[in-house]
Amino acid sequence: MLSGCGGQSGSGDVTLKLVAADYDIAGGNTTKTYWHNVVADFEKKNPNIKVDVQIFSWDVVDAKVAEMVKAGNAPDVAQIGAYSDYAASGKLYSVDQLLSIPVEANFLAPLADAGNVKRVQYGMPFVASTRLLFYNQTLFEQAHIKPPTTWAEIASDAKALKAKGVKTPFALPLGSEEAQAETMMWMLSGNGGYTNTVDGYDIDSPENIQTFDWLKTNLVEPELTGPVAPAKLNRQAAFDAFAKGDVGMLNGHPSLMEQAKKKGIKFGMVPLPGPNGQAKAAMGVADWIMGFKQSGHRAQIGKFLDFAFSDDNVLKFADQYDLLPSTVSASSAMAADSKHKELKPFLAALPTSELPPVGKTSWPKVSETVKKKIGTAVAPGGSPKAVLQDIAKVAMDAENAE
């Protein structure tokens, strides 16, 4: 029995519209094939419900859904990057209106919490990822150093790598592509974060200022970062340089494993350490799926999403793209499978990870501001305190405008 049933008899033929993001970075049809198979299996079991699927690239999928919603033609289900604006404007079903209780209860806690707006869950985590510190084993062996367990060891390892002629001892991508993620990783490792314990922004906290002071003084000014200035370095360029063997250390997610392996790079992974040892949490990220109210297909959407979140479907998708399952049962199954042993450190970090404050409708504005400004905090003549205060003011203004 669906916990969210009501207002729909479920009888009669219904066609659900599903819009989803394309995860196939090679330009193939693997995402389309995945959804085709899920839909075919679902329609066999539910002959009165059809599902029409549209796949768009990540570059445009959020904008496409926004256009559909604005035109009064919202999809029934969207699998995209953000949900909070739609939730705040009353366009989404809450999760308890859609999913059966066992499926709703199966999401990993940090991911479910990140799907909340004002303590009600609207965003369902589709897939997840965490970040670890990658290091080039060959370069470390040549420099006779061990993986770092503290910030001081990161700095000393970077110096040793530089002395051995390594082009980029530490890659610090604070460029526009994904600076908000790199920033959060370092904030968490310094016992800070974007928000405080009551979920208010705390961007210019003493802990965050201290973190960026440390980065500027101990990594950037001694010229231990590269291959270009942090403000100009994007994540993919950093990953590419690591896969060439030019980078000693950087923060990465599971897809970097495959990229490095294809290039024959021997690497290891450890949690990004804090000033005195293990950081309080790793950064987690999730992509989201949501159900729109407009067509009134609550019962049918719920049936489809219950099916989509079966272990078999969740594991197939996560496995295909080196991502992490968003559910407890699928995570346990992946951890128990020896073919996924390299993902175990990422899986272990996920249940206690912290996610960006994606439930805040102000977050997109804050995230964009971080991307534009945070690199200047560690640039020559830059002031971490001043830059973090500037970003904090944008955050406060965005919150007050809600």
Side-chain angles (χ1 to χ4, degrees):
M1 183 71 177
L2 291 174
S3 65
C5 276
Q8 285 281 343
S9 67
S11 60
D13 288 347
V14 165
T15 298
L16 299 178
K17 291 186 294 182
L18 165 66
V19 173
D22 189 355
Y23 285 74
D24 192 333
I25 58 173
N29 288 320
T30 56
T31 303
K32 288 180 183 175
T33 301
Y34 170 82
W35 283 114
H36 172 80
N37 292 337
V38 170
V39 166
D41 290 346
F42 174 76
E43 289 178 349
K44 275 182 203 167
K45 295 179 171 71
N46 299 274
N48 291 331
I49 307 173
K50 305 299 178 191
V51 184
D52 176 42
V53 182
Q54 287 182 283
I55 307 291
F56 294 102
S57 75
W58 270 113
D59 292 347
V60 301
V61 69
D62 285 88
K64 289 285 186 185
V65 171
E67 287 169 14
M68 292 174 187
V69 173
K70 190 175 180 182
N73 189 31
D76 294 285
V77 179
Q79 187 276 298
I80 51 179
Y83 66 87
S84 60
D85 277 355
Y86 301 123
S89 57
K91 292 181 167 61
L92 301 182
Y93 289 115
S94 61
V95 174
D96 63 352
Q97 290 177 305
L98 294 173
L99 299 182
S100 62
I101 290 170
V103 176
E104 182 189 358
N106 195 27
F107 291 121
L108 287 158
L111 306 181
D113 289 347
N116 290 349
V117 172
K118 294 186 167 68
R119 302 185 186 281
V120 177
Q121 188 182 355
Y122 295 92
M124 290 160 273
F126 180 62
V127 281
S129 178
T130 49
R131 307 294 164 90
L132 296 173
L133 179 68
F134 282 66
Y135 62 94
N136 183 311
Q137 283 185 338
T138 303
L139 298 179
F140 266 58
E141 286 164 10
Q142 289 170 354
H144 306 293
I145 51 176
K146 294 178 181 176
T149 60
T150 64
W151 281 1
E153 289 178 8
I154 288 177
S156 63
D157 284 352
K159 285 176 189 168
L161 291 165
K162 185 178 183 181
K164 283 287 184 181
V166 174
K167 286 185 183 176
T168 303
F170 199 107
L172 184 67
L174 296 177
S176 59
E177 182 186 350
E178 216 199 15
Q180 84 287 358
E182 186 76 14
T183 296
M184 184 170 177
M185 284 181 258
W186 283 100
M187 285 177 169
L188 289 174
S189 76
N191 296 312
Y194 282 120
T195 56
N196 54 30
T197 53
V198 292
D199 204 32
Y201 283 114
D202 200 18
I203 291 168
D204 58 346
S205 68
E207 292 84 1
N208 291 341
I209 293 168
Q210 187 176 14
T211 293
F212 278 86
D213 277 334
W214 185 89
L215 284 170
K216 185 173 189 286
T217 303
N218 294 277
L219 289 184
V220 181
E221 287 178 349
E223 298 183 348
L224 300 173
T225 59
V228 294
K232 295 179 179 177
L233 180 62
N234 282 331
R235 180 192 64 180
Q236 193 55 56
F239 281 16
D240 292 346
F242 185 81
K244 282 183 191 168
D246 292 344
V247 172
M249 294 175 275
L250 82 171
N251 292 315
H253 53 62
S255 69
L256 181 56
M257 294 191 306
E258 292 307 309
Q259 187 178 352
K261 276 194 282 188
K262 282 176 185 171
K263 298 287 187 176
I265 300 297
K266 282 176 60 184
F267 61 88
M269 301 173 297
V270 293
L272 179 63
N276 303 305
Q278 190 168 346
K280 68 171 183 177
M283 187 191 76
V285 291
D287 298 329
W288 301 97
I289 197 163
M290 61 215 69
F292 281 86
K293 290 179 178 178
Q294 187 183 320
S295 299
H297 297 147
R298 179 166 71 161
Q300 292 88 347
I301 293 169
K303 271 190 178 180
F304 176 71
L305 290 173
D306 265 7
F307 183 81
F309 278 110
S310 71
D311 281 0
D312 186 43
N313 288 327
V314 170
L315 283 165
K316 271 183 190 167
F317 195 88
D319 186 30
Q320 189 156 14
Y321 298 106
D322 288 313
L323 292 164
L324 305 182
S326 61
T327 63
V328 175
S329 55
S331 290
S332 298
M334 183 177 271
D337 187 341
S338 60
K339 80 172 182 176
H340 294 300
K341 63 183 179 184
E342 285 183 323
L343 283 171
K344 279 191 177 181
F346 293 99
L347 287 164
L350 190 57
T352 57
S353 64
E354 289 190 24
L355 279 77
V358 291
K360 289 177 172 289
T361 54
S362 57
W363 172 242
K365 173 76 170 172
V366 175
S367 175
E368 280 305 308
T369 306
V370 172
K371 289 179 184 180
K372 287 176 186 169
K373 293 191 171 185
I374 196 65
T376 63
V378 297
S383 164
K385 184 176 182 179
V387 171
L388 289 167
Q389 285 176 337
D390 284 349
I391 298 169
K393 184 179 185 308
V394 170
M396 185 178 292
D397 291 346
E399 279 280 90
N400 292 338
E402 285 187 15

